[in-house]
Amino acid sequence: MTDAADGATTLSRPDDRAASVLRFATELVAWVATPWALASHSWLLAALCVLALIGLPTLFSTPGDKANVIVAVPGWVTILLVLLQLVAAVVSSWLAWPSWAAFPVLLLAAATLVTERRRWRWLVSANRLTN
């Protein structure tokens, strides 16, 4: 925490390297498992879900959380996008794969939830430092 010129306390972005690795691994699983689970229903739906899972977090981001922000959104939107990836990874892996392959995805998503807590607190804080 640092003091701003007006005396308010600001929070700098927490170091989240471990959380980023787990989050990215979960995103990769979502990008693979979701179209895999949907392909038997519709190849178009499978392709659209990949575009949504990759495109939405690329397009919408919270200032200070990423270096390049295309469309700025509040921190709670970024959190919802991460939750979307986590749910897609877990649900799709259970639908598409045998339980011995889906269970580690559940553990990965749980670990991601635990490690994301500091970043999420920062994302929703009113005193967030955006630089």
Side-chain angles (χ1 to χ4, degrees):
M1 285 191 222
T2 60
D3 289 329
D6 62 358
T9 302
T10 58
L11 300 173
S12 59
R13 188 176 192 282
D15 178 20
D16 68 339
R17 284 178 266 190
S20 293
V21 168
L22 293 174
R23 184 174 61 249
F24 183 65
T26 307
E27 289 172 351
L28 286 175
V29 171
W31 301 344
V32 171
T34 305
W36 193 328
L38 294 173
S40 63
H41 301 289
S42 167
W43 67 267
L44 181 60
L45 188 58
L48 289 174
C49 82
V50 172
L51 286 174
L53 289 171
I54 295 172
L56 290 175
T58 302
L59 184 61
F60 301 106
S61 53
T62 303
D65 191 42
K66 285 187 178 178
N68 297 318
V69 175
I70 299 171
V71 177
V73 295
W76 63 267
V77 174
T78 298
I79 294 169
L80 288 178
L81 289 171
V82 172
L83 288 172
L84 172 69
Q85 300 275 349
L86 294 174
V87 169
V90 171
V91 171
S92 299
S93 65
W94 283 98
L95 291 174
W97 301 336
S99 59
W100 60 264
F103 187 71
V105 176
L106 180 64
L107 295 178
L108 176 64
T112 302
L113 280 173
V114 170
T115 59
E116 282 286 296
R117 290 177 306 157
R118 286 182 44 217
R119 176 175 168 248
W120 289 358
R121 269 188 245 123
W122 174 80
L123 282 168
V124 297
S125 71
N127 304 333
R128 188 169 38 84
L129 182 65
T130 59
N131 293 332

